[in-house]
Amino acid sequence: MEFRLPGAVAADGALQLGPEERRSPLALLPLPGAPRGFYGREAELAALGAALGTGAAGAGGAVALATGPAGVGRTALALEWVHRYGGGFPDGVLFVDLGGDGDRPDRELADVLAEFLAALGTDPADLPPTPAARAALYRRATAGRRLLVVVDNAGASEQVRPLLPAGAGSAALVTSGRRLRGLVAAESARPVPLAGLGPEESAALLSRVLGPARVAAEPEAVRALADLCDGLPLALRIVAAGIAADPGRGLAAVAGHLRDEQRRLVRLAAEEISVTGALRISHGQLPPTAARLLCALGLHPGRTVDPYTAGALADLEHRDAVRALEQLAAAQLVTATGAGQYVLHDLVRRYARRLAAGTGRVEQRAARARLADQYLYAGLAAAQCAEPGSRPCCEPPASSRRPRAVPGFGTAEEALQWFGAHRETLAEVTATADPDRAWRLVLVQWPLILRRVRDGWVPQLRLALEAAVESGHPDGEGRVRALLGRVLVVGRRLHEAAACLAPAVELAARAGDQVGRAVALVNLAAVHTELAEHAAAGAGLDRALEVALAAGHPPAVVLARRHLAGHHLAAGRPRQALDHALHGLALSVGEGPDPRRVLLNAAAGEALSGLGRHPEARERFGAALTEAERIGRDESTADVLRALARAEDAAGRARSAAAHRRRADLLSPP
């Protein structure tokens, strides 16, 4: 099957698109903006169009590979092409930065596949555990679609192959500082090599920033700048930004300043260091606050920063952090991605880290503590928004300092998105935090952990448990054990879960945390249930309900009653199950959709069916379906439909039961 983008293909194979065909791409994952000040590269853009305009042989589509040295503008070229022509892929664009050319660890394939599958509509709870299984599911999910997959900064061919879409109408655009000959040989990838800009293109790029008159006035200096920067667009833009910030400084003076630095670095044959030399010039021309912030950003473990984290690192007021980030963006040292987020180019991060390494250790520790406090207070605010009415999972440590500003969250979805977006950075911050902060930084993510319980949280939670023990917080240890135990139960690591949860009950009791004790009892009962120790499970749930009622904590009471309803249903006691489900529903009132009401209504429906009260059972299942559909999780809706199908079978309505099962299988295949 041959696939062509809209537009014509010239005799030389270059893709030609009209202005009306250059529509914005549909980004299925956050896509960086089109590069500002992009100039030239028309031949390379045409080569990408020719490579991506015709499907490659085999099951998949075309693959283009943009290669070249660091700082040459591979990512900018790819993004320019995507923003011009990505709209030709009606099913959207998937983007990932693998980090293969940076100093940060490469992205894990399993994590990337999880993000891609989620963007394509797969529920995280349905993700297979192994990379191979996720890759197989990804191939099935992309078959028959017309997608553009952009893989930026790939370090090796084997990183890219599992990410190539299966549809013949799809295409992949890969960038790398390496030639990736395996991708060329095995996947028919068409290389599009990038070299430094020539003198005329370099002059044109400088002219776009500085204006034609200023460039025309010093042609020799312009040629010298192009030569000293090796024609690297990143270096040229940084130099131009510095010149633009100082109108009284001549181009020849800047070229003279660069000359000695560039010669030394060229002899070292490290093209990235020539960019570092330019960065040093740009850093020296920044306003003092922005220069201080650039240094502080070297202590940030992630690539993406916002005014809150930037302000914490540099100890700035929020408005000053916003202004300093804007100044860094104007100097091309960070890139704005929208919604107040900024990304540091890998080379800039390297330079910032060198700056930060030159500061005192006391100052570095203080900055990292402020960053940890920023994430902790923001996480507490996000958890409260994600679970309104819940008690805080912990209090900040006595040594913490309240941040100058924390982000606001309008909805539970916004709060959960914040947790998801910052998960990787939170893990990095936790790894360098003191134990008193570390366990709290993990525990505060509990709303996301419970929703994505199969998403690899065990290592982080074990780290939190060690930190809580080391810092001497038995209440914190108990809460972490309760959460870790829940994750282990879902992962079917039952004996580990039992060993983890048993001490949690006693720890919560000693700390006077009756709510935590009730939760630990419920989680431990879940382990007993899975191990077929039903008497122990029932006794534990009865005790959990007593403790929750005595504590006067409705959410804990609802939790205990929900599990008791399920326990009695499994034991063939529908009347007792109905009693617990109805009492739980009476406490689960609220305006927003609530997963607890889905489970309680479904349990009430099953109990009523078991009592032969079929019309009432249908009403309860209908309420559960309405709630599940409001939440928008297909798996939950499918579970209710399957329970309803069983109830309809019991009522002798086989046709209705079959219809419900068919709908359930469409939503969530068994």
Side-chain angles (χ1 to χ4, degrees), residues 284-434:
Q285 295 173 341
L286 288 171
T289 301
R292 173 181 153 201
L293 176 58
L294 181 62
C295 176
L297 291 180
L299 298 172
H300 195 286
R303 295 182 66 243
T304 302
V305 297
D306 57 29
Y308 301 100
T309 53
L313 282 167
D315 200 14
L316 298 173
E317 294 290 347
H318 185 69
R319 62 179 180 276
D320 295 330
V322 171
R323 186 181 304 112
L325 281 170
E326 289 174 348
Q327 290 167 340
L328 291 178
Q332 303 284 336
L333 294 170
V334 299
T335 301
T337 63
Q341 301 287 317
Y342 295 84
V343 173
L344 280 76
H345 190 281
D346 287 325
L347 299 174
V348 178
R349 288 181 71 220
R350 290 183 182 184
Y351 180 73
R353 286 183 176 180
R354 291 174 185 174
L355 292 175
T359 61
R361 291 188 176 181
V362 173
E363 185 177 348
Q364 292 179 36
R365 283 198 298 269
R368 289 193 173 99
R370 289 194 302 269
L371 182 64
D373 290 340
Q374 174 69 48
Y375 274 113
L376 178 57
Y377 279 85
L380 287 168
Q384 190 62 39
C385 183
E387 294 289 341
S390 64
R391 62 167 187 162
C393 63
C394 62
E395 295 293 333
S399 62
S400 69
R401 192 180 85 173
R402 181 176 291 276
R404 297 173 187 260
V406 295
F409 305 99
T411 65
E413 187 63 27
E414 286 180 15
L416 292 169
Q417 287 177 352
W418 182 88
F419 277 125
H422 291 269
R423 177 181 172 179
E424 185 176 334
T425 302
L426 274 164
E428 295 286 350
V429 172
T430 300
T432 59
D434 62 88

Side-chain angles (χ1 to χ4, degrees), residues 602 605-606 609 614 617-618 621-622 625 637-665:
E606 290 190 73
S609 175
H614 300 298
R618 291 188 199 100
F621 280 122
L625 279 174
T637 304
D639 288 342
V640 176
L641 286 166
R642 290 186 177 108
L644 175 56
R646 292 192 296 270
E648 291 290 74
D649 276 333
R653 294 161 57 96
R655 181 176 298 179
S656 175
H660 293 313
R661 286 195 181 91
R662 285 195 298 271
R663 184 182 167 200
D665 291 346

Side-chain angles (χ1 to χ4, degrees), residues 39 45 76 96 131 157 163 192 214 249 279 374 395 440 454 536 549 559:
Y39 181 82
L45 288 168
V96 64
S157 298
L163 303 178
V192 180
R214 194 166 182 190
R249 192 174 191 184
L279 285 168
Q374 174 69 48
E395 295 293 333
R440 292 174 164 91
R454 294 181 176 88
L549 287 168
L559 177 70

Side-chain angles (χ1 to χ4, degrees), residues 101-175:
D101 295 328
D103 57 355
R104 66 188 189 281
D106 291 355
R107 293 289 310 277
E108 292 291 337
L109 174 62
D111 294 338
V112 176
L113 286 168
E115 290 178 6
F116 276 17
L117 286 166
L120 292 170
T122 300
D123 191 307
D126 296 331
L127 287 174
T130 65
R134 291 183 181 184
L137 180 58
Y138 174 70
R139 286 193 295 273
R140 294 196 297 272
T142 56
R145 300 200 194 204
R146 294 179 61 188
L147 292 162
L148 175 63
V149 176
V150 183
V151 182
D152 196 23
N153 290 320
S157 298
E158 55 266 25
Q159 289 180 308
V160 178
R161 288 193 188 100
L163 303 178
L164 298 179
S170 295
L173 173 51
V174 183
T175 77

Side-chain angles (χ1 to χ4, degrees), residues 71-86:
V72 78
R74 301 183 307 267
T75 299
L77 177 74
L79 290 175
E80 179 71 12
W81 196 93
V82 172
H83 280 279
R84 286 194 193 185
Y85 310 123

